[in-house]
Amino acid sequence: MYRSHHCGQLRTSNINEEVTLSGWVQKSRDKGFVIWVDLRDRYGITQLIFDADRTPEAMVSMAKSLGREFVIQVTGTVIERSSKNPNLETGDIEILVSKLTVLNEAIVPPFTIEDQTDGGEELRMKYRYLDIRRNPVKNNLIFRHKVTQEVRSFLSSQDFIEVETPYLIKSTPEGARDFVVPSRMNEGQFYALPQSPQTFKQLLMVGGMDKYFQIVKCFRDEDLRADRQPEFTQIDCEMAFVEQEDILNIFEGLTRHLIKSIHGKELSSFPRMTYDDALKTYGNDKPDIRFGMQFGELNAVAQHKDFGVFNAAELVVGIAVPGGNSFTRKEIDGIINWLKRPQIGALGMIYSRCNDDGTYKSSVDKFYDQDDLGQWAKITGANPGDLVCVLSGPTDKVRAQLSALRMELAERLGLRDPKEFAPLWVTDFPLLEWDEDSKRYHAMHHPFTAPKPDQIKLLDTDPGAVKANAYDLVLNGNEIGGGSIRIHDKATQALMFDHLGFTPEEAKEQFGFLMNAFEYGAPPHGGLAFGLDRLVAILGGQETIRDFIAFPKNNSGRDVMIDAPSAIDETQLKELHLKVNLK
């Protein structure tokens, strides 16, 4: 028996008991006649004492040689600590050691295994197995486990069945790039790793499973951003004989359940907003509604004077920054310089101070009088003491710039409280989006998304205007889930493929198995997938998903711990019928 208790378990009620503990040496303090050692395992820390008067001399000698992260086993008696530690759950007791066994020695770790470490991110990723010993990472992984357990509990209670789908599937040209896997047995042919289990979950609905879910790994070989992983985890769900309202209600219930069970908070409402309204009001399709600063479009009250910058703009739009009139000129110049960075790309910013006495002072007083500036304040919802920030330019570009500014100012002003949760449904997305490079339409979500029933005829006359029967769930400014009602009949699916530029032969080659299945009685169906990594991070009060993944990749998509991806042996290449030309 390696241990009778774990290192976070013992209390004063255990005093005088003989116990056995195992774990890692956190640190030791040698006072000559007495040595204290903090022993750590997943559950906590227990202090050990080696006393020259009460501990066998051999044990004291061994204790002096213990280094950080040695794996040891001790047997001893629980005694009361003379100097208690209120910061430890075991801080009222210690173990008077009678037997010590070194289970494994350890070299000095490359960074301190403590909550506040001296290791940089890349170093900690290289030694991730050490980083996991630290409480912040360990607790995040335990938190992720708790969330997944609650997800399984809720969905099972709603009669969902967990079904595993294949990882080796057929490559398709739609969406992001696939990771491909060469087949040794079938020369010149390849599997792909799934970007999602989309077609398989639809086939499960054809198979009559009715309600399916899966917590599943997905893979996308796309250009990486700071907080995106090439492999990620989805809570993938599908339901048969449902309309959009049925799906929204179920997953509102799941979200309420998670926040209630994990944080003890009740969500009062799930507002809904169309995609078009989200862009017009917040500049993006995943707005953070924990705070205001809604967009006010100012064309009508800003393009009637001789200010050429506004007059030439497609859109003039502003936000009211609460308390922003307190910003100094230097602070406002800093905001303007932030907007001019290449990542944002704005040419500048116009502003108007809303003074406490009801007057206004702007950076364009030469062109606009008090009545004009009062209209700016009214349209943006500004109050005395606020600052109105105005951008202008092409509609899509300026909305994205002002959205970025809104989020940055909210962060600076402390308006994004991680303990507050504000969900939002965004609906009525465009079904298709035009791609200038390929000069054709692409599915905004995927080619199996159903158009709004009353807009199918528009596919022939105005395909860009067709709205999808699709929806995203947004939480605190992050898309945590998205889905749609699916096409479930062969004729409509063929029509969709046609508008996406597939020939009938290409559609049959890529998706013939699904089209054939639709001929055997496919029920109306739809679903949704949550991004588990991001959902867990937000529920954990953070937005960085890496800290909630056991073994994440870095910004280049590399696993620096195992040094992957890497070259493979030439013999393997030959078996796979591959040639690699390395220059």
Side-chain angles (χ1 to χ4, degrees):
M1 181 177 67
Y2 280 109
R3 56 187 178 185
S4 60
H5 299 77
H6 57 68
C7 293
Q9 187 173 0
L10 299 170
R11 302 289 187 271
T12 53
S13 58
N14 300 106
I15 286 176
N16 294 326
E17 290 182 19
E18 184 177 79
V19 298
T20 299
L21 303 179
S22 293
W24 289 264
V25 173
Q26 175 80 12
K27 60 184 176 181
S28 60
R29 301 173 298 284
D30 186 349
K31 298 299 184 183
F33 60 91
V34 63
I35 301 170
W36 289 280
V37 174
D38 287 347
L39 187 66
R40 182 193 72 243
D41 65 8
R42 183 187 118 189
Y43 305 95
I45 292 175
T46 297
Q47 179 170 283
L48 314 177
I49 181 171
F50 297 81
D51 187 332
D53 294 332
R54 296 177 289 177
T55 304
E57 183 178 347
M59 296 298 103
V60 175
S61 178
M62 287 180 64
K64 288 179 179 290
S65 66
L66 294 176
R68 283 179 177 264
E69 303 307 309
F70 274 39
V71 185
I72 65 172
Q73 178 191 46
V74 297
T75 298
T77 304
V78 182
I79 63 174
E80 187 172 4
R81 281 177 68 156
S82 57
S83 179
K84 295 179 172 56
N85 184 348
N87 297 319
L88 283 180
E89 292 184 344
T90 59
D92 290 340
I93 59 94
E94 58 189 359
I95 309 299
L96 179 61
V97 177
S98 58
K99 182 180 179 182
L100 166 63
T101 302
V102 176
L103 300 175
N104 216 334
E105 296 183 356
I107 60 175
V108 177
F111 53 87
T112 55
I113 313 296
E114 295 179 358
D115 291 3
Q116 299 298 322
T117 183
D118 56 356
E121 183 177 38
E122 196 76 2
L123 181 65
R124 289 187 288 110
M125 287 183 70
K126 182 175 177 63
Y127 296 93
R128 185 64 165 182
Y129 46 85
L130 297 179
D131 202 28
I132 290 172
R133 295 180 189 176
R134 297 191 310 115
N135 282 327
V137 181
K138 176 198 72 177
N139 291 338
N140 284 347
L141 296 182
I142 294 171
F143 181 79
R144 182 186 178 109
H145 163 75
K146 181 178 179 181
V147 172
T148 58
Q149 290 297 95
E150 292 296 340
V151 167
R152 283 191 164 95
S153 173
F154 177 85
L155 292 176
S156 297
S157 74
Q158 300 295 314
D159 295 328
F160 283 78
I161 303 299
E162 187 166 10
V163 181
E164 296 178 359
T165 53
Y167 279 140
L168 296 175
I169 66 169
K170 185 183 183 71
S171 182
T172 59
E174 280 293 311
R177 294 184 187 90
D178 289 325
F179 280 102
V180 295
V181 181
S183 171
R184 181 179 62 84
M185 301 293 290
N186 300 277
E187 182 175 351
Q189 296 186 320
F190 297 81
Y191 297 106
L193 299 180
Q195 297 182 33
S196 85
Q198 181 62 45
T199 54
F200 288 100
K201 65 181 179 181
Q202 291 190 247
L203 292 172
L204 285 170
M205 296 304 101
V206 177
M209 289 306 294
D210 192 67
K211 288 182 178 181
Y212 139 95
F213 85 98
Q214 183 180 189
I215 297 178
V216 59
K217 278 282 188 184
C218 301
F219 308 85
R220 291 179 186 170
D221 186 10
E222 57 188 348
D223 295 336
L224 296 170
R225 287 184 257 167
D227 202 32
R228 179 169 288 182
Q229 293 280 300
E231 56 178 310
F232 55 96
T233 306
Q234 285 187 179
I235 308 166
D236 200 59
C237 306
E238 197 80 2
M239 304 165 64
F241 301 109
V242 290
E243 297 177 331
Q244 176 177 297
E245 195 68 23
D246 302 306
I247 296 172
L248 269 54
N249 286 336
I250 281 285
F251 294 103
E252 280 185 19
L254 173 58
T255 309
R256 290 181 193 277
H257 172 79
L258 290 174
I259 291 175
K260 174 68 174 177
S261 61
I262 292 167
H263 291 286
K265 294 185 176 181
E266 298 279 0
L267 289 177
S268 57
S269 64
F270 278 72
R272 299 183 186 182
M273 181 179 299
T274 66
Y275 171 85
D276 291 340
D277 285 344
L279 292 184
K280 184 175 182 180
T281 310
Y282 295 100
N284 68 77
D285 60 3
K286 47 182 184 295
D288 190 337
I289 60 171
R290 285 175 292 181
F291 56 95
M293 288 196 273
Q294 295 182 356
F295 288 12
E297 297 192 352
L298 303 174
N299 291 47
V301 296
Q303 292 183 323
H304 65 295
K305 295 294 179 72
D306 295 328
F307 188 50
V309 172
F310 283 175
N311 291 342
E314 184 180 7
L315 177 65
V316 182
V317 62
I319 55 173
V321 183
N325 195 27
S326 64
F327 291 169
T328 65
R329 176 58 188 271
K330 183 178 180 181
E331 288 175 315
I332 293 176
D333 286 345
I335 292 169
I336 294 173
N337 288 334
W338 184 89
L339 279 165
K340 289 181 176 180
R341 296 178 312 143
Q343 300 94 316
I344 308 299
L347 298 178
M349 182 185 82
I350 302 302
Y351 64 89
S352 175
R353 295 181 180 274
C354 302
N355 299 319
D356 291 338
D357 62 3
T359 62
Y360 305 96
K361 178 65 178 175
S362 81
S363 55
V364 285
D365 280 347
K366 178 181 177 180
F367 299 98
Y368 298 96
D369 58 28
Q370 292 292 297
D371 288 341
D372 294 324
L373 300 178
Q375 288 296 312
W376 293 13
K378 181 179 179 181
I379 291 172
T380 60
N383 296 310
D386 293 349
L387 180 75
V388 177
C389 297
V390 183
L391 300 181
S392 63
T395 297
D396 292 345
K397 188 174 182 180
V398 78
R399 280 175 173 170
Q401 292 166 349
L402 191 61
S403 174
L405 176 62
R406 175 179 179 268
M407 295 295 281
E408 174 66 16
L409 292 175
E411 195 69 44
R412 295 186 188 187
L413 295 170
L415 301 178
R416 304 187 69 207
D417 183 358
K419 295 181 180 178
E420 179 185 353
F421 298 100
L424 169 73
W425 285 108
V426 178
T427 64
D428 296 353
F429 285 81
L431 180 69
L432 306 170
E433 55 185 348
W434 181 257
D435 181 71
E436 279 296 332
D437 293 334
S438 62
K439 300 298 181 184
R440 66 183 181 92
Y441 282 104
H442 289 262
M444 189 165 190
H445 284 76
H446 53 63
F448 317 109
T449 298
K452 290 284 186 179
D454 60 347
Q455 297 189 7
I456 293 178
K457 291 182 180 179
L458 283 177
L459 281 170
D460 291 323
T461 57
D462 189 7
V466 179
K467 297 298 184 185
N469 213 337
Y471 35 82
D472 279 358
L473 181 56
V474 177
L475 185 63
N476 294 0
N478 292 274
E479 178 200 333
I480 62 167
S484 65
I485 298 297
R486 322 300 187 190
I487 297 169
H488 68 277
D489 66 279
K490 184 176 180 178
T492 305
Q493 188 65 73
L495 180 64
M496 183 68 170
F497 286 142
D498 180 55
H499 283 282
L500 291 172
F502 287 85
T503 66
E505 293 75 23
E506 289 171 336
K508 183 176 181 180
E509 167 67 20
Q510 296 293 331
F511 303 107
F513 64 94
L514 183 66
M515 303 281 274
N516 290 341
F518 285 170
E519 295 189 292
Y520 289 92
H525 60 281
L528 179 144
F530 280 88
L532 178 65
D533 307 308
R534 189 163 305 284
L535 174 64
V536 170
I538 294 170
L539 293 176
Q542 302 179 41
E543 293 188 8
T544 302
I545 65 174
R546 247 184 252 159
D547 291 340
F548 292 85
I549 299 173
F551 299 103
K553 306 289 190 292
N554 69 7
N555 286 353
S556 301
R558 293 196 64 84
D559 187 323
V560 295
M561 183 183 68
I562 63 173
D563 191 25
S566 61
I568 63 173
D569 185 86
E570 189 173 339
T571 302
Q572 289 178 280
L573 290 174
K574 289 180 178 178
E575 287 182 337
L576 295 169
H577 318 290
L578 296 176
K579 293 181 180 180
V580 177
N581 184 21
L582 298 176
K583 293 183 179 180

